[in-house]
Amino acid sequence: MKLIRHGELNKEKTGIVLFDKYYDTSSFGEDYNEQFFESGGLARLKAYVEQNKGSLAELPAGVRLGSPIARPSKIVCIGLNYADHARETGATPPPEPVIFMKSTSALVGPYDDIVIPKNSVKTDWEVELAVVIGKKASYVSEADALNYVAGYCLHNDVSEREFQIERSGTWDKGKGCDTFAPLGPVLVTSDEAGDIDNMRLWLTVNGKKMQDGTTANFIFRIPFLVSYVSQFMTLLPGDVISTGTPAGVGMGFNPQTYLKPGDVVELGIDGLGTSRQKVKAYGAAES
């Protein structure tokens, strides 16, 4: 299945994609949240859609899409998980995964604006494959890890490099600003996601190709990451693990290049759709 959420920010209703068209499933009566995933919601939704697919209302063209999942308990990110990205940033590929957290208040829809934070001059882009957890995971084995995955999403791990690197402390300060986690357009369930170890992912800024990579170049693959993170924290249903970005971020250019108001970022991953964000300055009027 391909799950969507639609409507006004923070008031989204649920939906689903059938034959490349968007349909409302709000009469299903549940949001795509922790309780939904924890209680077998995907199976219930599948049965509901099968029983009602002839009467589901098609959504109008241009409807706003929100994050395909409700706000999770946490967004866990993996740093430096592509060797080419580690090289471009001057970092040594890590012996174990680099973990940092992204504020859940950064979560927005796939076509919402990216807001450059107040006092920011180094806002950057990162196309990433995001894993959505389907059931509570604590100390899971690598061999069993994919059984804890509900599905996959496209994620732009927007990052403020000065806040992240030059302001002392952890990376989290440069990762959790409002609008810094555009997710979606869809959550593709594991059974339909295809080969997660061989997905092309790309990103453009103003039509210029910046990133063009493949998950075949992961340093740490998804089963290992799910197992590894679960050794340090309990992953709850609906939680997100974002798996890192390939080369081509603004910080890696010489000279470095960063987002500015009016820029348009477009990105995509095979089978998971594409998203598009316009960049605006903090305090600017809504576009």
Side-chain angles (χ1 to χ4, degrees):
M1 293 186 293
K2 293 181 178 179
L3 281 59
I4 60 170
R5 295 169 70 252
H6 62 94
E8 185 181 345
L9 179 66
N10 297 323
K11 296 181 181 178
E12 290 91 350
K13 298 177 180 180
T14 61
I16 197 161
V17 182
L18 295 173
F19 308 110
D20 297 322
K21 295 181 178 181
Y22 295 160
Y23 292 90
D24 178 64
T25 61
S26 56
S27 59
F28 176 64
E30 302 177 45
D31 202 355
Y32 302 150
N33 56 20
E34 180 179 340
Q35 175 63 27
F36 167 81
F37 291 109
E38 185 174 38
S39 60
L42 285 174
R44 290 197 308 279
L45 178 64
K46 185 175 183 179
Y48 166 85
V49 171
E50 187 62 30
Q51 293 165 7
N52 295 277
K53 60 185 177 183
S55 60
L56 295 176
E58 185 177 348
L59 296 174
V63 66
R64 174 190 174 269
L65 293 184
S67 162
I69 59 169
R71 183 179 294 179
S73 83
K74 51 190 168 292
I75 301 172
V76 183
C77 296
I78 308 300
L80 305 175
N81 197 29
Y82 291 76
D84 56 358
H85 175 55
R87 284 194 300 270
E88 74 173 348
T89 61
T92 301
E96 294 188 34
V98 173
I99 296 176
F100 60 90
M101 308 294 285
K102 198 171 186 81
S103 172
T104 60
S105 57
L107 191 67
V108 290
Y111 306 108
D112 291 343
D113 292 335
I114 293 170
V115 178
I116 296 177
K118 191 175 182 179
N119 302 317
S120 165
V121 293
K122 295 184 178 180
T123 295
D124 206 347
W125 57 84
E126 293 190 5
V127 59
E128 303 200 3
L129 171 63
V131 179
V132 177
I133 299 298
K135 59 182 180 179
K136 186 176 179 180
S138 179
Y139 298 110
V140 303
S141 69
E142 184 176 350
D144 197 32
L146 290 184
N147 292 324
Y148 290 81
V149 174
Y152 303 89
C153 296
L154 170 65
H155 176 220
N156 188 355
D157 176 21
V158 186
S159 307
E160 212 298 340
R161 302 305 190 184
E162 181 184 5
F163 298 177
Q164 175 188 353
I165 297 169
E166 302 173 34
R167 296 286 297 272
S168 186
T170 67
W171 287 7
D172 304 61
K173 289 185 291 189
K175 296 288 189 171
C177 303
D178 290 353
T179 74
F180 270 25
L183 195 70
V186 294
L187 166 66
V188 180
T189 53
S190 296
D191 58 318
E192 295 187 11
D195 185 359
I196 57 175
D197 288 326
N198 192 26
M199 285 181 164
R200 177 176 173 254
L201 60 172
W202 56 268
L203 181 145
T204 67
V205 178
N206 301 327
K208 181 180 178 181
K209 184 68 64 66
M210 298 298 192
Q211 294 183 273
D212 193 353
T214 170
T215 59
N217 291 332
F218 277 150
I219 297 173
F220 304 107
R221 302 201 179 280
I222 290 170
F224 180 83
L225 290 174
V226 173
S227 173
Y228 184 85
V229 174
S230 79
Q231 310 304 308
F232 302 99
M233 65 192 79
T234 296
L235 294 165
L236 298 179
D239 281 356
V240 173
I241 300 176
S242 199
T243 57
T245 198
V249 300
M251 180 174 63
F253 284 86
N254 185 16
Q256 295 178 343
T257 181
Y258 294 107
L259 295 172
K260 59 186 183 300
D263 285 346
V264 175
V265 181
E266 296 182 85
L267 55 152
I269 300 180
D270 288 349
L272 303 184
T274 62
S275 69
R276 180 182 186 273
Q277 297 99 42
K278 186 175 180 180
V279 180
K280 69 177 187 180
Y282 176 83
E286 295 293 327
S287 63

